[in-house]
Amino acid sequence: MADHADLKVLAGARVVLPTGIADGARLTVEGARLTDGAHVPADAPAVDLTGHWVVPGFVDLHNHGGGGASFTSGSVEEVLRGIHTHRLHGTTTLVASTVTGDMDFLAHRAGELSELAEQGDIAGIHFEGPFISPCRKGAHSEALLRDPDPAEVRKLIDAGRGHARMVTLATELPGGIDSVRLLAEHGVIAAIGHTDATYEQTVEAIDAGATVATHLFNAMPALNHRAPGPIPALLEDERITVELINDGTHLHPAALELAFHHAGAGRVAFITDAMDAAGFGDGVYHLGPLEVEVKDGVARLVEGGSIAGSTLTLDTAFRRAATVDRLPVEAIVQAISANPAKLLGLYDRIGSLEPGKNADLVVLDDEFILKGVMRHGTWVIDPQVG
């Protein structure tokens, strides 16, 4: 057995397991991993979590920053501060997202972020832009947008040194389909987003290998009964996982319900799309070269007023899903932990509470307010303190 200092026993909580909810369950952590606890005495000292939930650590596929720090332009120290900010809100695994920029800058940035991936601070890099539609650019600089030339897509993949995890593309643009195929061949997620594609063009991109819808409903044509656009194609195809920003600003609850009804809990991934202000507060920020004002927790471009990412943290997304949307807790855990872990190819290590996996977990009270966070067996927030 590990040294006593490396042993933690959590008892009494409602634990969400892949097999369902276990009331009054006991979890054993030894070192950085969950164990079956078979050799741990039944009377070993335990943290009493009666009246609480224990769920897997959250996994964020799409996150631009937090704590006042930008993952696109911040220093290493700033990026680490942003990562820690999200850990304090339950996100134990995070993919760092960039925004549209000059290609040389993005390639250089990918090299810097890849070092953090090698250290285990982030789970990889997501490039959102520059290969997106000027018609659906959102908070991206139109002057820096470009068609998805496979050679330039490959440049970003190579710059990530094996840590490029996802690229968001408007696949209807010239080179889009070939770029999707290139990404699929290199094991990088091709995500359809910031797109003006038709239904038929979206189907073509899925057939070419696209597997994710970047923040479904946002930055794409709305559903129309004669020209349905990308939304129904993305919802109906079992090969697609749809990202949802559940902050009450990006989506009406009926839209979220529609996505869960058509895609099912197994094909939804809750994301934050967070920018610098997440966990930091209102004020004026920059998203790439664009100025953003955050007021009452909503981020909008100073020029034009487009929504500019979010200030969301995943504990808020969880609580909203449970209390406003009234989703089953098991479905929320799928969307916020298991599904993104599977997409990243990390489900053997994270995304569920099973022996042998990383001891990444979140403790919530009966109102789904975060009370504790553990990452790799160490308390980030100790539920016994405070």
Side-chain angles (χ1 to χ4, degrees), residues 70 72-73 99-101 105 139 141 144 276 285-292:
S70 166
T72 299
S73 57
V99 297
T100 293
F105 170 79
S141 172
L144 295 171
D276 313 18
Y285 299 84
H286 283 84
L287 196 58
L290 304 179
E291 194 172 47
V292 176

Side-chain angles (χ1 to χ4, degrees), residues 71 75-76 79-80 83 87 92-98 108-127 156-166 344 346 349-350 358 375-376:
F71 296 155
S75 66
V76 170
V79 171
L80 290 172
I83 293 165
R87 284 186 188 163
T92 51
T93 301
L94 178 152
V95 174
S97 302
T98 61
H108 177 72
R109 190 59 177 172
E112 293 176 330
L113 291 172
S114 68
E115 293 181 14
L116 293 176
E118 286 159 10
Q119 293 169 193
D121 295 304
I122 61 174
I125 308 161
H126 164 218
F127 299 99
L156 292 185
I157 295 173
D158 290 346
R161 305 204 301 256
H163 299 290
R165 290 287 176 261
M166 183 162 65
L344 294 172
L346 299 175
R349 285 177 272 168
I350 61 172
N358 290 351
R375 183 175 187 269
H376 295 184

